[in-house]
Every structure is written in structure tokens, then in C-alpha cells.
Amino acid sequence: MAEGETESPGPKKRGPYISSVTSRSVNLMIRGVVLFFIGVFLALVLNLLQIQRNVTLFPPDVIASIFSSAWWVPPCCGTASAVIGLLYPCIDRHLGEPHKFKREWSSVMRCVAVFVGINHASAKVDFDNNIQLSLTLAALSIGLWWTFDRSRSGFGLGVGIAFLATVVTQLLVYNGVYQYTSPDFLYVRSWLPCIFFAGGITMGNIGRQLAMVCKG
């Protein structure tokens, strides 16, 4: 090298810790975005089923378009889906109990199909009273957990999600945001926690599968 010339600095290499943190952040962001859009899609489909059956009642202009004054439903469900889907593998990792039961996409798709079926049953199947419907949906929801999850952490998170989501829904209905026809559990239907439980298990399964794929 000639005198007076200086060697141009090459690209700085990031340390292993910074690379690891960046990789984890990108991983979380990608999974969160995917889970968000899955939640939005499921919310649109399932909410449309409930409206068609007159289970939930929004203002009249919402019936004409599910994107009108009910705009907040898909984003809220998408955000909740992202949080739940990221929380499940995180809890598994912290408990040191990686979930390996039926970890393939075909099982996840069947779980989604069963969840949609449970939600569809809540709107389409007629029972003599809401108690019979609630017990049936509770059995189906626990059956979904047993078939596709079987983890104690999954069951506990599902119960917690069902409780929290039901409380939030009660507050929304109490404040007149929307309403349920024939409420029998304060302001909502008694079977609603079963739907939230099954939804939590379903999004948890999707989140676990995404975590495994991204890790691989």
C-alpha cells in the first residue's frame, strides 16, 4: 500500500448478542403480523355468521357493510390474536415445557376448522334453552383442547383468556357499543366464554406452529 493511503474501513460486523436480539425482534414482528391478519380474517368471517343469525346486533348501517361502524372489531380481534399467539410459545419456553403434541400444519388447520364449527354451532344450532347450548359448547371446547393441545399451560391460558375476554365484552355491551339478543349471563350469552376459550386454544396452536417454523 502506497505511503499516505489509508485503508477504507469495511462494513462493521455486529456482535453476536446484537445479531441475536435483531433476529428475535424480526422473528416476533413477522409472527405478530401473520397472527394479526389471521385474527382479522377469522373475526370478519365469524362475526358475519353471528350477525346473519341475529346473535349480535350492531347499528343498522353495520348490517349493510361489516366494514362500516364496526370497523373496530377486526383490528381488536387481530391484536388479541397476535398477543395470544405470541404468548403461548413464550409461556412454554419460560416453563421449560416445549409443546410437541401434534405439531404439524395439518393439525393446526383441523383445529381452526373445529373452532369455526363450534362458533357456527353457537349461531345455527337450535336448543331448547341456552343452558343446553352452553354445556354442549363447553364440552366441544374442552374436546378441542384435548384433541389439539393437552397442555396444562394451554388450558390455563385458555381459561384466563375466556375470563378476561368475557369481562371486556360485558363492559362493551353495558356501555351500548353493541348487544346480544336474549342475554342470559348478565349482558351476554352464557356460551360466550366457551367460544373465547376455543379461540384462545386455536390461536395458541397457530402461534406455537409459527414459532417452531420460524425457529427452524
Side-chain angles (χ1 to χ4, degrees), residues 8-31:
S8 59
K12 294 182 179 180
K13 294 184 177 180
R14 294 178 299 179
Y17 176 75
I18 297 178
S19 299
S20 175
V21 170
T22 304
S23 177
R24 286 199 301 268
S25 299
V26 173
N27 185 309
L28 281 174
M29 184 177 68
I30 293 174
R31 286 190 285 140

Side-chain angles (χ1 to χ4, degrees), residues 159-172 192 196-197:
V159 171
I161 290 166
F163 174 79
L164 182 61
T166 302
V167 170
V168 171
T169 305
Q170 296 274 16
L171 292 174
L172 290 175
L192 191 62
F196 287 140
F197 176 84

Side-chain angles (χ1 to χ4, degrees), residues 2-97:
E3 185 177 354
E5 294 182 357
T6 58
E7 184 178 357
S8 59
K12 294 182 179 180
K13 294 184 177 180
R14 294 178 299 179
Y17 176 75
I18 297 178
S19 299
S20 175
V21 170
T22 304
S23 177
R24 286 199 301 268
S25 299
V26 173
N27 185 309
L28 281 174
M29 184 177 68
I30 293 174
R31 286 190 285 140
V33 170
V34 172
L35 288 163
F36 176 83
F37 282 107
I38 291 174
V40 168
F41 175 75
L42 288 176
L44 291 173
V45 173
L46 300 179
N47 192 51
L48 185 60
L49 290 175
Q50 299 285 351
I51 292 176
Q52 287 179 340
R53 184 62 172 176
N54 290 327
V55 174
T56 56
L57 296 178
F58 290 92
D61 56 329
V62 181
I63 306 300
S65 172
I66 57 176
F67 295 102
S68 56
S69 59
W71 62 268
W72 52 269
V73 174
C76 288
C77 291
T79 302
S81 298
V83 172
I84 293 169
L86 294 175
L87 185 61
Y88 266 74
C90 180
I91 294 296
D92 291 338
R93 185 170 60 252
H94 282 289
L95 292 178
E97 299 176 355

